[in-house]
Amino acid sequence: MNNNIKVDSFIKSGMSVDVEDAINIGMKKYFNIEIPPTRNVVDNVLRLLNLFSEKKTSATFFLLGEVADKYPTLVKKIAKDGHEIGVHGYKHTRLDNISLKTAKNEIGRAKKSIEDISGKQIFGYRAPFCSVNEKSSWIFEVLGELGFKYDSSDVNNYFCDYYENYQNSVIKKIKLSNKNFIIEIPPSTYSIFGHTLPICGGGYLRILPFCYTKALLKKAKKPVIVYTHPYEIDIATPPVFYQKRLECASIKTKLLIKISNFNRKRLFHRLNYLLENYEFTSIINLINEIN
Ligand SMILES: [Zn+2]
């Protein structure tokens, strides 16, 4: 790694998309029912691809293996459009709920499948729910063994004691037992009142006032890493079977789903604003800048 490069040299920021289907995840999370990913994920990724193409931006798409296996044409389209493809697990399972062995099998299975379909080598991983913490500290060794170059999950900086800060930027190196290292480049965060909030991603980007996002973007360490999900721009009516399930759901589940639907109409415009006002690229392109 070239230690002479300064943080200021990061002119571009990183744009990333966690490719998962909200209906598939919602059915499992709220009703404990497993269904395959639905067509919604394809339609909304295609909308994002059109937006990125219009703005001449490249991004990183962290894919679930089960989405890739069901919709291989979508994977090929992302690759053909020149974006980086990474892994988001096979199913959307929290790392701190599974063993090292299960995680290795899941992530390895997704990586192989996505590489076979896309014809591209994969370097990046993002954990479902960014679930990298004390309980899943083994993940970096697993990623090293599976041939990954970087992780983009540790939003809480759980392992900062093991990091070698890279010129005070968001990018850090984690040493592995075989003396190699994994780069950690998490979604950008801001700490306030003892809490670490992703400032420019997921529900935070969609729900919080946009002036908050814009103000914190100016304070954030460079490069800024933004993340979103296909369903966050989904304004289509959910499938009938899902609506019927919701009718019988608890008040808490209904509330959580209401929150996950809030402001979806605005997110597309917010992404459009960010793409017009900042220069974005894929995460691997940022990492290659310092190698
Ligand atoms: Zn996810």
Side-chain angles (χ1 to χ4, degrees):
M1 193 173 283
N2 181 353
N3 286 319
N4 295 322
I5 293 177
K6 290 179 185 156
V7 179
D8 292 348
S9 67
F10 289 107
I11 296 163
K12 294 188 178 181
S13 296
M15 176 60 71
S16 60
V17 182
D18 295 354
V19 181
E20 61 201 49
D21 175 46
I23 309 290
N24 153 269
I25 290 176
M27 287 293 279
K28 192 175 167 192
K29 185 175 171 187
Y30 301 121
F31 310 113
N32 208 20
I33 296 172
E34 293 236 12
I35 60 161
T38 70
R39 173 80 204 173
N40 290 38
V41 67
V42 177
D43 296 341
N44 291 300
V45 168
L46 291 177
R47 286 180 69 205
L48 288 170
L49 286 172
N50 280 342
L51 178 66
F52 294 158
S53 157
E54 206 179 279
K55 304 296 176 195
K56 298 186 173 35
T57 297
S58 67
T60 301
F61 287 76
F62 293 103
L63 286 152
L64 284 182
E66 64 175 343
V67 171
D69 279 344
K70 177 134 194 235
Y71 300 110
T73 315
L74 180 68
V75 183
K76 288 178 185 156
K77 164 81 176 148
I78 296 169
K80 189 167 162 264
D81 280 12
H83 299 288
E84 181 196 4
I85 295 180
V87 168
H88 193 39
Y90 193 85
K91 289 176 179 280
H92 202 261
T93 315
R94 289 189 68 94
L95 286 181
D96 43 14
N97 277 350
I98 53 178
S99 66
L100 180 157
K101 198 176 160 200
T102 308
K104 193 171 174 182
N105 286 342
E106 263 231 4
I107 299 166
R109 179 186 176 195
K111 184 171 185 277
K112 179 166 187 338
S113 191
I114 299 167
E115 283 182 336
D116 286 350
I117 295 167
S118 66
K120 281 192 168 187
Q121 193 182 351
I122 287 175
F123 302 108
Y125 173 73
R126 176 167 293 148
F129 304 104
C130 284
S131 52
V132 168
N133 54 42
E134 291 101 328
K135 278 187 177 173
S136 53
S137 57
W138 35 258
I139 187 60
F140 302 111
E141 293 287 343
V142 168
L143 294 179
E145 283 172 31
L146 292 172
F148 286 90
K149 228 176 179 178
Y150 75 88
D151 172 65
S152 178
S153 315
D154 189 9
V155 287
N156 286 301
N157 272 345
Y158 275 109
F159 301 103
C160 51
D161 289 349
Y162 304 101
Y163 287 157
E164 184 181 317
N165 255 330
Y166 181 69
Q167 296 277 337
N168 199 32
S169 86
V170 70
I171 299 178
K172 297 157 184 118
K173 290 194 292 184
I174 297 169
K175 289 186 195 88
L176 303 178
S177 53
N178 64 5
K179 304 231 165 61
N180 286 337
F181 60 86
I182 288 280
I183 290 178
E184 177 60 42
I185 177 167
S188 298
T189 55
Y190 184 70
S191 293
I192 188 163
F193 304 128
H195 294 284
T196 306
L197 305 175
I199 58 174
C200 205
Y204 300 93
L205 176 59
R206 177 169 47 83
I207 295 168
L208 295 173
F210 202 33
C211 55
Y212 163 93
T213 304
K214 287 186 206 166
L216 292 191
L217 265 177
K218 286 184 186 152
K219 292 174 185 259
K221 284 181 181 176
K222 302 285 185 303
V224 171
I225 306 297
V226 175
Y227 75 98
T228 190
H229 303 94
Y231 62 80
E232 296 198 77
I233 57 164
D234 188 356
I235 47 172
T237 310
V240 175
F241 73 87
Y242 196 58
Q243 289 182 53
K244 284 196 171 160
R245 277 275 158 198
L246 288 186
E247 284 168 17
C248 317
S250 67
I251 293 172
K252 187 184 167 196
T253 299
K254 282 181 180 161
L255 182 67
L256 288 172
I257 290 176
K258 211 173 175 110
I259 292 169
S260 86
N261 287 335
F262 182 74
N263 243 0
R264 285 189 180 186
K265 266 186 195 163
R266 290 206 177 136
L267 185 68
F268 193 83
H269 302 293
R270 290 182 176 191
L271 286 173
N272 194 67
Y273 174 92
L274 291 175
L275 292 165
E276 279 184 356
N277 288 278
Y278 291 82
E279 238 188 304
F280 285 98
T281 188
S282 63
I283 294 175
I284 195 66
N285 282 347
L286 292 173
I287 288 173
N288 286 339
E289 269 190 46
I290 57 170
N291 278 331

